Amino acid sequence: MRTPTGTGSRALAIARRHPSAWLLAVQLLGVVLYPAMDDSAAGRAMFGAFGVAVLALVLWVVNRNPTANWIAWLLALPGAALSLGGVLADRADWQLWGWLLEGALYLYAAAGLVLYMLRDHRVTLDEWFAIGAAFTLLAWAFAFAFLVCQAWYPGSFGELRSWMELLFLSFATLSGVGLSDVVPQRAPARALVMLEMFAGVMYVAVAVSRLVGLAMLGARSRAD
């Protein structure tokens, strides 16, 4: 019979082996919860707190990847402080710089996950989760970039857009489905959207070619 301590230790060990799965799950949970956080001061505070929790998971994932951890901490600590402080103190300028740093961190973490996927000669379960987590990190990074863009260049997306609308635009652009009703109106916004289109195409190409190449290598090894 398993003891509670033994079961807890096993669950902790599984969590440590698959940090990308936790990051992916929490980000997808955010997609479901964010609509409830958009319309009130309490919701915005919850949004900031949830963002800090996601940043902690991002740091955990980066810590396991072949990247410079100090860069992640340098982006995460002031980014979290500025974002949360901007919400609590109602300082839009603090929040803007927080978004900028958080977007840079997400982009950096996505690059780390891509390097993590490319460095092995076999596909592990955590790498499958990393494929999804890297995609969501890219989507979040560009959504933050869109927020900053519309603050710096009013009218970038027509009317003032909410976080959820810009995240939807980011997912639609990155996936290539083009289903968003949010359209970039000004040149800086269009430039960001074009960069995300390029990133989405290249990410899918890298991920698919990597998986196909490893599958062919595995089949050849079994045949030998």
Side-chain angles (χ1 to χ4, degrees):
M1 182 176 179
R2 294 177 183 171
T3 64
T5 303
T7 303
S9 299
R10 184 178 179 185
L12 184 60
I14 293 173
R16 286 174 176 171
R17 286 200 302 270
H18 305 297
S20 300
W22 286 97
L23 178 58
L24 177 61
V26 169
Q27 287 183 290
L28 294 179
L29 177 64
V31 171
V32 178
L33 296 179
Y34 281 144
M37 301 181 191
D38 258 355
D39 298 329
S40 65
R44 288 191 292 272
M46 288 175 59
F47 178 89
F50 189 84
V52 172
V54 174
L55 285 177
L57 282 172
V58 170
L59 288 171
W60 182 26
V61 169
V62 169
N63 189 54
R64 293 168 53 95
N65 294 335
T67 50
N69 295 336
W70 65 270
I71 296 178
W73 283 100
L74 194 62
L75 294 169
L77 292 179
L82 287 167
S83 293
L84 195 55
V87 171
L88 297 176
D90 197 22
R91 290 288 302 269
D93 54 338
W94 292 2
Q95 204 167 13
L96 180 64
W97 287 106
W99 291 336
L100 192 63
L101 291 172
E102 286 184 44
L105 174 64
Y106 282 26
L107 193 61
Y108 184 73
L113 282 178
V114 171
L115 290 176
Y116 168 61
M117 289 186 287
L118 293 178
R119 70 178 177 174
D120 285 344
H121 298 292
R122 63 187 182 89
V123 179
T124 64
L125 180 59
D126 191 58
E127 285 180 344
W128 281 103
F129 289 126
I131 291 172
F135 184 90
T136 54
L137 283 170
L138 284 172
W140 257 254
F142 278 98
F144 279 118
F146 295 156
L147 278 174
V148 174
C149 183
Q150 79 169 355
W152 283 350
Y153 303 97
S156 289
F157 302 95
E159 61 187 88
L160 188 65
R161 300 293 183 173
S162 69
W163 161 257
M164 195 64 191
E165 287 176 309
L166 294 178
L167 184 62
F168 179 64
L169 170 64
S170 186
F171 267 92
T173 303
L174 193 63
S175 62
V177 298
L179 295 178
S180 178
D181 57 344
V182 182
V183 180
Q185 301 289 331
R186 298 190 61 179
R190 290 179 176 177
L192 280 175
V193 168
M194 285 189 286
L195 288 174
E196 186 170 20
M197 290 174 181
F198 177 77
V201 170
M202 293 304 297
Y203 178 73
V204 171
V206 169
V208 170
S209 61
R210 174 69 173 164
L211 293 176
V212 170
L214 289 175
M216 292 177 63
L217 183 62
R220 189 178 304 165
S221 299
R222 289 191 295 270
D224 294 340

CSV table of all heavy atoms in Angstrom, one decimal, residues 118-147:
chain,number,residue,atom,x,y,z
A,118,LEU,N,15.9,20.6,-29.9
A,118,LEU,CA,16.8,20.2,-31.0
A,118,LEU,C,18.1,19.5,-30.5
A,118,LEU,O,18.8,18.9,-31.3
A,118,LEU,CB,17.3,21.5,-31.7
A,118,LEU,CG,16.2,22.3,-32.5
A,118,LEU,CD1,16.7,23.6,-33.1
A,118,LEU,CD2,15.6,21.4,-33.6
A,119,ARG,N,18.3,19.6,-29.2
A,119,ARG,CA,19.6,19.1,-28.7
A,119,ARG,C,19.6,17.5,-28.5
A,119,ARG,O,20.7,16.9,-28.5
A,119,ARG,CB,20.0,19.7,-27.4
A,119,ARG,CG,19.2,19.4,-26.2
A,119,ARG,CD,19.7,20.1,-25.0
A,119,ARG,NE,18.9,19.8,-23.8
A,119,ARG,CZ,19.2,20.1,-22.6
A,119,ARG,NH1,20.3,20.8,-22.4
A,119,ARG,NH2,18.4,19.8,-21.6
A,120,ASP,N,18.5,16.9,-28.4
A,120,ASP,CA,18.4,15.4,-28.2
A,120,ASP,C,18.3,14.7,-29.5
A,120,ASP,O,17.9,15.2,-30.5
A,120,ASP,CB,17.2,15.1,-27.3
A,120,ASP,CG,17.5,15.4,-25.8
A,120,ASP,OD1,18.7,15.7,-25.5
A,120,ASP,OD2,16.5,15.5,-25.1
A,121,HIS,N,18.6,13.4,-29.4
A,121,HIS,CA,18.5,12.5,-30.6
A,121,HIS,C,17.3,11.6,-30.5
A,121,HIS,O,17.2,10.7,-31.3
A,121,HIS,CB,19.8,11.7,-30.7
A,121,HIS,CG,21.0,12.5,-31.0
A,121,HIS,ND1,21.2,13.2,-32.1
A,121,HIS,CD2,22.1,12.7,-30.2
A,121,HIS,CE1,22.4,13.9,-32.1
A,121,HIS,NE2,22.9,13.6,-30.9
A,122,ARG,N,16.5,11.8,-29.5
A,122,ARG,CA,15.2,11.1,-29.4
A,122,ARG,C,14.2,12.0,-28.8
A,122,ARG,O,14.5,12.9,-28.1
A,122,ARG,CB,15.4,9.8,-28.6
A,122,ARG,CG,15.8,10.1,-27.1
A,122,ARG,CD,16.1,8.8,-26.4
A,122,ARG,NE,16.4,9.0,-25.0
A,122,ARG,CZ,15.5,9.1,-24.0
A,122,ARG,NH1,14.2,8.9,-24.3
A,122,ARG,NH2,15.8,9.3,-22.8
A,123,VAL,N,12.9,11.7,-29.1
A,123,VAL,CA,11.8,12.5,-28.7
A,123,VAL,C,11.3,11.9,-27.3
A,123,VAL,O,10.8,10.8,-27.3
A,123,VAL,CB,10.7,12.6,-29.7
A,123,VAL,CG1,9.6,13.5,-29.2
A,123,VAL,CG2,11.2,13.2,-31.0
A,124,THR,N,11.4,12.7,-26.3
A,124,THR,CA,10.8,12.3,-25.0
A,124,THR,C,9.4,12.9,-24.8
A,124,THR,O,9.0,13.8,-25.6
A,124,THR,CB,11.7,12.8,-23.8
A,124,THR,OG1,11.8,14.2,-23.8
A,124,THR,CG2,13.2,12.3,-24.0
A,125,LEU,N,8.7,12.5,-23.8
A,125,LEU,CA,7.4,13.0,-23.5
A,125,LEU,C,7.4,14.4,-23.2
A,125,LEU,O,6.6,15.2,-23.6
A,125,LEU,CB,6.8,12.2,-22.4
A,125,LEU,CG,5.3,12.6,-22.0
A,125,LEU,CD1,4.4,12.4,-23.1
A,125,LEU,CD2,4.9,11.8,-20.8
A,126,ASP,N,8.5,14.9,-22.4
A,126,ASP,CA,8.5,16.3,-22.1
A,126,ASP,C,8.8,17.1,-23.3
A,126,ASP,O,8.3,18.3,-23.4
A,126,ASP,CB,9.7,16.5,-21.1
A,126,ASP,CG,9.6,17.9,-20.5
A,126,ASP,OD1,8.6,18.3,-19.9
A,126,ASP,OD2,10.6,18.7,-20.6
A,127,GLU,N,9.5,16.6,-24.3
A,127,GLU,CA,9.7,17.4,-25.6
A,127,GLU,C,8.4,17.6,-26.3
A,127,GLU,O,8.2,18.6,-27.0
A,127,GLU,CB,10.8,16.7,-26.4
A,127,GLU,CG,12.2,16.9,-25.8
A,127,GLU,CD,13.2,16.3,-26.7
A,127,GLU,OE1,12.9,15.4,-27.5
A,127,GLU,OE2,14.4,16.6,-26.5
A,128,TRP,N,7.5,16.5,-26.3
A,128,TRP,CA,6.2,16.7,-26.9
A,128,TRP,C,5.4,17.9,-26.2
A,128,TRP,O,4.8,18.7,-26.9
A,128,TRP,CB,5.4,15.4,-26.8
A,128,TRP,CG,5.7,14.4,-27.8
A,128,TRP,CD1,6.5,13.3,-27.6
A,128,TRP,CD2,5.4,14.4,-29.2
A,128,TRP,NE1,6.6,12.6,-28.7
A,128,TRP,CE2,6.0,13.2,-29.7
A,128,TRP,CE3,4.6,15.2,-30.0
A,128,TRP,CZ2,5.8,12.9,-31.1
A,128,TRP,CZ3,4.5,14.9,-31.3
A,128,TRP,CH2,5.0,13.7,-31.9
A,129,PHE,N,5.5,17.9,-24.9
A,129,PHE,CA,4.8,19.0,-24.2
A,129,PHE,C,5.5,20.4,-24.5
A,129,PHE,O,4.9,21.4,-24.6
A,129,PHE,CB,4.9,18.8,-22.7
A,129,PHE,CG,4.0,17.7,-22.2
A,129,PHE,CD1,4.4,16.7,-21.4
A,129,PHE,CD2,2.6,17.7,-22.5
A,129,PHE,CE1,3.6,15.6,-21.0
A,129,PHE,CE2,1.7,16.7,-22.1
A,129,PHE,CZ,2.2,15.7,-21.3
A,130,ALA,N,6.9,20.3,-24.7
A,130,ALA,CA,7.6,21.5,-25.0
A,130,ALA,C,7.2,22.1,-26.4
A,130,ALA,O,7.2,23.3,-26.5
A,130,ALA,CB,9.1,21.2,-25.0
A,131,ILE,N,6.8,21.3,-27.3
A,131,ILE,CA,6.3,21.8,-28.6
A,131,ILE,C,5.1,22.7,-28.4
A,131,ILE,O,5.0,23.8,-28.9
A,131,ILE,CB,6.0,20.6,-29.5
A,131,ILE,CG1,7.3,19.9,-29.9
A,131,ILE,CG2,5.3,21.1,-30.8
A,131,ILE,CD1,7.0,18.6,-30.7
A,132,GLY,N,4.2,22.2,-27.6
A,132,GLY,CA,3.0,23.0,-27.3
A,132,GLY,C,3.3,24.2,-26.5
A,132,GLY,O,2.8,25.3,-26.7
A,133,ALA,N,4.2,24.1,-25.5
A,133,ALA,CA,4.5,25.2,-24.6
A,133,ALA,C,5.2,26.3,-25.3
A,133,ALA,O,5.0,27.5,-25.1
A,133,ALA,CB,5.3,24.7,-23.4
A,134,ALA,N,6.1,25.9,-26.2
A,134,ALA,CA,6.9,26.9,-27.0
A,134,ALA,C,5.9,27.7,-27.9
A,134,ALA,O,6.1,28.9,-28.1
A,134,ALA,CB,7.9,26.3,-27.9
A,135,PHE,N,4.9,27.0,-28.5
A,135,PHE,CA,3.9,27.7,-29.3
A,135,PHE,C,3.1,28.7,-28.5
A,135,PHE,O,3.0,29.9,-28.9
A,135,PHE,CB,3.0,26.7,-29.9
A,135,PHE,CG,1.9,27.3,-30.8
A,135,PHE,CD1,2.2,27.4,-32.2
A,135,PHE,CD2,0.7,27.7,-30.4
A,135,PHE,CE1,1.3,28.0,-33.0
A,135,PHE,CE2,-0.2,28.3,-31.2
A,135,PHE,CZ,0.1,28.4,-32.6
A,136,THR,N,2.7,28.3,-27.3
A,136,THR,CA,1.9,29.3,-26.4
A,136,THR,C,2.8,30.4,-25.9
A,136,THR,O,2.3,31.6,-25.8
A,136,THR,CB,1.3,28.6,-25.2
A,136,THR,OG1,2.3,27.9,-24.5
A,136,THR,CG2,0.2,27.6,-25.7
A,137,LEU,N,4.1,30.1,-25.7
A,137,LEU,CA,5.0,31.2,-25.3
A,137,LEU,C,5.1,32.3,-26.4
A,137,LEU,O,5.1,33.5,-26.1
A,137,LEU,CB,6.4,30.6,-24.9
A,137,LEU,CG,6.5,29.9,-23.5
A,137,LEU,CD1,7.8,29.2,-23.4
A,137,LEU,CD2,6.3,30.9,-22.4
A,138,LEU,N,5.3,31.8,-27.6
A,138,LEU,CA,5.4,32.7,-28.7
A,138,LEU,C,4.1,33.5,-28.9
A,138,LEU,O,4.1,34.8,-29.1
A,138,LEU,CB,5.6,32.0,-30.0
A,138,LEU,CG,7.0,31.4,-30.2
A,138,LEU,CD1,7.1,30.5,-31.5
A,138,LEU,CD2,8.0,32.6,-30.4
A,139,ALA,N,2.9,32.9,-28.7
A,139,ALA,CA,1.7,33.6,-28.8
A,139,ALA,C,1.5,34.7,-27.7
A,139,ALA,O,1.1,35.8,-28.0
A,139,ALA,CB,0.5,32.6,-28.7
A,140,TRP,N,1.9,34.3,-26.5
A,140,TRP,CA,1.9,35.3,-25.4
A,140,TRP,C,2.9,36.5,-25.6
A,140,TRP,O,2.6,37.6,-25.4
A,140,TRP,CB,2.3,34.6,-24.1
A,140,TRP,CG,1.1,34.4,-23.2
A,140,TRP,CD1,0.7,35.0,-22.0
A,140,TRP,CD2,0.1,33.3,-23.3
A,140,TRP,NE1,-0.4,34.5,-21.5
A,140,TRP,CE2,-0.8,33.4,-22.3
A,140,TRP,CE3,-0.1,32.3,-24.3
A,140,TRP,CZ2,-1.9,32.6,-22.1
A,140,TRP,CZ3,-1.2,31.5,-24.2
A,140,TRP,CH2,-2.1,31.6,-23.1
A,141,ALA,N,4.1,36.1,-26.1
A,141,ALA,CA,5.1,37.2,-26.4
A,141,ALA,C,4.6,38.2,-27.4
A,141,ALA,O,4.7,39.4,-27.2
A,141,ALA,CB,6.4,36.5,-26.9
A,142,PHE,N,4.0,37.7,-28.5
A,142,PHE,CA,3.5,38.7,-29.5
A,142,PHE,C,2.2,39.4,-29.0
A,142,PHE,O,2.0,40.6,-29.3
A,142,PHE,CB,3.2,38.0,-30.8
A,142,PHE,CG,4.4,37.8,-31.6
A,142,PHE,CD1,5.1,36.6,-31.6
A,142,PHE,CD2,4.9,38.8,-32.4
A,142,PHE,CE1,6.2,36.4,-32.4
A,142,PHE,CE2,6.0,38.7,-33.2
A,142,PHE,CZ,6.7,37.5,-33.2
A,143,ALA,N,1.4,38.8,-28.1
A,143,ALA,CA,0.3,39.5,-27.6
A,143,ALA,C,0.7,40.7,-26.7
A,143,ALA,O,0.2,41.8,-26.7
A,143,ALA,CB,-0.6,38.5,-26.8
A,144,PHE,N,1.8,40.5,-25.9
A,144,PHE,CA,2.4,41.6,-25.1
A,144,PHE,C,2.9,42.6,-26.0
A,144,PHE,O,2.8,43.8,-25.8
A,144,PHE,CB,3.5,41.0,-24.2
A,144,PHE,CG,2.9,40.4,-22.9
A,144,PHE,CD1,3.2,39.1,-22.6
A,144,PHE,CD2,2.2,41.2,-22.0
A,144,PHE,CE1,2.7,38.5,-21.4
A,144,PHE,CE2,1.7,40.6,-20.8
A,144,PHE,CZ,2.0,39.3,-20.5
A,145,ALA,N,3.6,42.2,-27.1
A,145,ALA,CA,4.1,43.2,-28.1
A,145,ALA,C,3.0,44.0,-28.7
A,145,ALA,O,3.1,45.2,-28.9
A,145,ALA,CB,4.9,42.5,-29.2
A,146,PHE,N,1.8,43.4,-29.0
A,146,PHE,CA,0.7,44.1,-29.5
A,146,PHE,C,0.1,45.1,-28.5
A,146,PHE,O,-0.3,46.2,-28.8
A,146,PHE,CB,-0.4,43.1,-29.9
A,146,PHE,CG,-0.1,42.2,-31.0
A,146,PHE,CD1,-0.8,41.0,-31.1
A,146,PHE,CD2,0.9,42.5,-31.9
A,146,PHE,CE1,-0.4,40.1,-32.2
A,146,PHE,CE2,1.2,41.7,-33.0
A,146,PHE,CZ,0.5,40.5,-33.1
A,147,LEU,N,0.1,44.7,-27.2
A,147,LEU,CA,-0.3,45.7,-26.1
A,147,LEU,C,0.6,46.9,-26.1
A,147,LEU,O,0.1,48.0,-26.0
A,147,LEU,CB,-0.3,45.0,-24.8
A,147,LEU,CG,-1.5,44.1,-24.4
A,147,LEU,CD1,-1.1,43.4,-23.1
A,147,LEU,CD2,-2.7,44.9,-24.2
